[in-house]
Amino acid sequence: MKKHHLDHLLRAAGRITGQKEFVIVGSQALHGKYPDLVDEIVSSAEADLIAQGDTSRTEWLNVIGQDSPFHEQFGYYADPVEEGTAILPAGWRARLIALAPGNTEGVKGKCLEPHDLAIAKYVAGREKDLLFNRQLVQRGIVERDRLIGLLAKTAVPPETRARIRATILRDFQ
């Protein structure tokens, strides 16, 4: 998904929900720090969105969700998620990055900082998330020491923390 596709989704999300701000928590959050990133790392067809202000309206985004007419017409869609969907390091909200202005009709996107995004994906631990994180490492988008520091601020059991730490260290070898 390119930045202008994300702008289109935000515009549609704003019209549907009446909300003017969304948090972007999945891989499309990279557009916050890297708005011109045109790469397979942001090639997924969905943008994980949380409506700010009235989070109960997040579910309204199913109108432009997977297998919707919107998805069929444009080839990308909104994936409405709840705030607790991603396990994130403490203080993540203070590190959100504003999506660069675009054709969004005033709707704003706040994107996870890439290190917070990577931690959430390490915690999820799915193969696709681990592959994504390896791509972040290979592209120099994330730094090992910063990830380790944020991992210490993430509420996960000790065995999960140990697994993630080992994975981070392996990814940087």
Side-chain angles (χ1 to χ4, degrees), residues 32-139:
K33 189 163 183 178
Y34 304 100
D36 298 321
L37 192 61
V38 180
D39 192 315
E40 67 271 2
I41 200 166
V42 288
S43 66
S44 67
E46 80 275 356
D48 302 321
L49 301 177
I50 303 169
Q52 292 298 278
D54 184 352
T55 56
S56 68
R57 293 189 179 192
T58 299
E59 69 185 51
W60 294 11
L61 297 175
N62 283 313
V63 171
I64 56 172
Q66 187 171 17
D67 299 325
S68 67
F70 183 96
H71 180 202
E72 290 174 13
Q73 181 177 356
F74 298 108
Y76 50 89
Y77 60 94
D79 187 8
V81 296
E82 296 178 14
E83 193 164 299
T85 299
I87 297 174
L88 295 159
W92 65 272
R93 285 188 164 283
R95 293 184 295 273
L96 287 171
I97 299 169
L99 187 67
N103 183 14
T104 63
E105 296 177 353
V107 177
K108 295 179 180 167
K110 298 283 185 165
C111 301
L112 285 181
E113 193 279 332
H115 292 85
D116 289 324
L117 173 61
I119 291 294
K121 289 188 171 289
Y122 279 121
V123 172
R126 299 171 299 195
E127 186 59 29
K128 71 177 188 171
D129 296 319
L130 299 177
L131 289 170
F132 177 84
N133 281 350
R134 282 185 217 122
Q135 292 295 314
L136 293 179
V137 170
Q138 289 172 1
R139 288 169 170 73

Side-chain angles (χ1 to χ4, degrees), residues 3-17:
K3 164 77 168 59
H4 71 275
H5 297 138
L6 187 55
D7 289 348
H8 181 212
L9 271 175
L10 288 173
R11 191 169 61 243
R15 287 178 186 166
I16 291 163
T17 65

